[in-house]
Amino acid sequence: MKNVISIDQFTKQDIDNLFATARTMKTLVETKGGDDRFRHKVSTNLFYEPSTRTSSSFAAAMYRLGGQVISINDVNYSSVSKGETLEDTIRTLEQYSDLIVLRHPQVGAAKRAVQASQVPIINAGDGVGEHPTQALLDLFTIYEEQCKIDGLTITLVGDLKNGRTVHSLAKLLSLYDVTLQAVCPESLAFPPEYGKVINFTELTDVLPATDILYVTRVQKERFDSLEEYEAVQGSYTVTNRLADTMKLSARIMHPLPRVGEIHFDVDNNPRAAYFRQMRNGLYVRMALIDMLLS
Ligand code: ASP
Ligand code: CP
């Protein structure tokens, strides 16, 4: 695999290999902090949209493997603001780096970047399209928390239309024998091109049977008007009272950032897994960098 653009590229075998490497990365970080295998290698973070986790975990992953990072985390201070195209920007950055991690507001931007680039491209989110590395760390987290994937009931909640993480995750879960459920306002329904889901409107109906509750933010930046956003924002909120109606073995996940859809008091609930999920992003991204640069 030379680039990571879509979750479609991954077979079950690829995932098993990647997760085995991610587990060795976890041990490496916990025991030695990292190593020097990519000394003198440079990656570029090219982010046309805001990010905290994805940009910093890719940077941390590169540093912990001995490499260096060029960070363009606000393209307004790059020559993009002078009108430079995505292709020319990619052609520029490949002169200086061995890998480019790209987040962009347009669906298909990562695919365009691959066409322009001699170095590997990682899709760190292309608009309302996909976020494949998030889906991989999500699946890794499900494995770590539940010790299996097959047989689980997984419920996606929130903005399933615009949320790119659920698009990639649903595609990835289609490789496994899971029951995939969706809870969302009608106007934010899950697009069928990303897979099959069983639709519900009430969160309370699905919680007792759910093993993984995957909560997402209503993607404010994708709405045409504030009124349309406000009409659906706050439709579903996970409180401790609701969380406690779930099995004790169930886990609550969220790609984050959250803006109210999980109450802060849920953080101490034994089912809350979203901080460990974030941490797993480091190990899975170390494994992805290792896969592309080795
Ligand atoms: N951080 C994730 C993304 O960039 C989820 C979100 O922003 O709601 O897709
Ligand atoms: N989960 C995620 O992609 O977070 P950021 O938008 O902060 O990178």
Side-chain angles (χ1 to χ4, degrees), residues 47 50-55 103 131 134 164-165 255-257 285:
F47 279 62
S51 171
T52 300
R53 275 147 293 271
T54 312
S55 60
R103 174 170 286 186
H131 193 346
Q134 177 73 43
R164 53 195 172 199
T165 73
L256 301 171
R285 286 171 174 140

